[in-house]
Amino acid sequence: YNEMKQDEFLVKTQIVVDGNLTFAGLLFLGNRDAIFRHFPDFRIDLIEVPATSYANAKPRYTYRLGEQENIWEYYFTLFERITQKVDQPFQMTKGGFAIGDYPYVEALREGLVNLLMHNDYFSPAKPRIRIFTDRIEYFNPGGFPKPLEELLKADYSIPRNPILAKLFRFVKLSENIGFGFDKMIKGWQTYRNSVPKFTSGIDHVIVTYSLLEG
């Protein structure tokens, strides 16, 4: 894809379809002013709360992420901030190379990518990440396409936004073959010996990573 001309690239990735910019392409790589013309309240929130709940927090929060240009910019800014909350000790392999991402970091990344590509961007609710002293919580407008038990048993991949899913797959941040739950569950177990908690309603999903030892 790096060798393609721009017009060919945009068509191949479905950022442009039949000569028209898709909503997915606009959200993923567009500039903020253009996005706001179609999604006036576009934002992905990240809030750090210095307690286990708002009720116990003084002040109410200590950090709130500013607006970013598009989904692509949000991904990098969010991921950098989230991974500051977990330990990542420097380690080397026997061959003398630094170890890359830890499984629990991959678990956080998988949750973030799923939030960004499965979010209902037409919902009045906004995707939100809250970092409390005891947990990291991803809130995503839009419920699961099937009951959670079915999704955990089988390798379902039913993207809410197929073009966004494809764009994340192109940059190797998503596989689109239904292994996301497995990565989140097994990856997080290596960090706190606990599994993420999944809560789903008709119009939302919450994924919670406990920062306490399981």
Side-chain angles (χ1 to χ4, degrees):
Y1 286 84
N2 289 336
E3 298 174 357
M4 293 180 181
K5 294 181 179 179
Q6 180 171 298
D7 289 347
E8 183 185 4
F9 171 82
L10 294 175
V11 170
K12 192 74 172 178
T13 56
Q14 294 186 288
I15 291 173
V16 172
V17 174
D18 296 331
N20 297 309
L21 176 65
T22 60
F23 282 128
L26 174 65
L27 288 164
F28 197 75
L29 291 176
N31 66 61
R32 192 165 57 191
D33 290 341
I35 292 173
F36 280 169
R37 286 198 287 272
H38 298 276
F39 301 88
D41 197 24
F42 170 72
R43 87 174 279 129
I44 294 111
D45 241 336
L46 182 146
I47 300 171
E48 295 179 8
V49 183
T52 58
S53 69
Y54 281 137
N56 297 327
K58 295 181 181 180
R60 190 173 176 85
Y61 60 85
T62 54
Y63 176 84
R64 184 178 187 183
L65 181 70
E67 292 181 348
Q68 306 296 304
E69 197 75 9
N70 48 44
I71 290 175
W72 187 237
E73 296 292 334
Y74 266 113
Y75 165 75
F76 288 103
T77 308
L78 289 165
F79 186 64
E80 180 181 6
R81 192 76 189 185
I82 293 165
T83 53
Q84 290 176 9
K85 308 305 173 183
V86 295
D87 300 325
Q88 298 184 65
F90 179 78
Q91 295 185 28
M92 298 180 70
T93 65
K94 292 181 180 179
F97 296 98
I99 293 176
D101 285 346
Y102 293 89
Y104 52 86
V105 174
E106 291 184 2
L108 291 171
R109 179 193 287 117
E110 186 70 25
L112 175 59
V113 170
N114 275 278
L115 180 147
L116 295 174
M117 71 182 184
H118 293 304
N119 175 57
D120 180 359
Y121 288 97
F122 292 98
S123 170
K126 297 292 166 273
R128 181 192 65 211
I129 298 168
R130 297 192 297 180
I131 302 175
F132 295 92
T133 55
D134 64 340
R135 67 192 186 279
I136 299 173
E137 182 183 279
Y138 294 172
F139 170 85
N140 189 6
F144 285 136
K146 287 180 175 289
L148 179 60
E149 293 75 16
E150 289 187 37
L151 295 173
L152 291 173
K153 288 179 182 177
D155 299 333
Y156 282 118
S157 180
I158 311 175
R160 184 183 304 278
N161 305 300
I163 297 176
L164 288 181
K166 180 185 290 187
L167 291 169
F168 275 111
R169 189 175 72 247
F170 285 157
V171 292
K172 301 186 185 302
L173 290 173
S174 171
E175 294 176 334
N176 248 37
I177 51 178
F179 293 159
F181 285 109
D182 194 55
K183 279 188 176 180
M184 286 187 277
I185 292 169
K186 292 183 178 178
W188 197 247
Q189 278 182 313
T190 68
Y191 184 62
R192 284 292 184 252
N193 197 30
S194 66
V195 298
K197 178 182 177 182
F198 302 96
T199 307
S200 177
I202 295 174
D203 56 359
H204 74 279
V205 171
I206 300 174
V207 181
T208 303
Y209 298 87
S210 174
L211 294 173
L212 303 177
E213 196 68 35

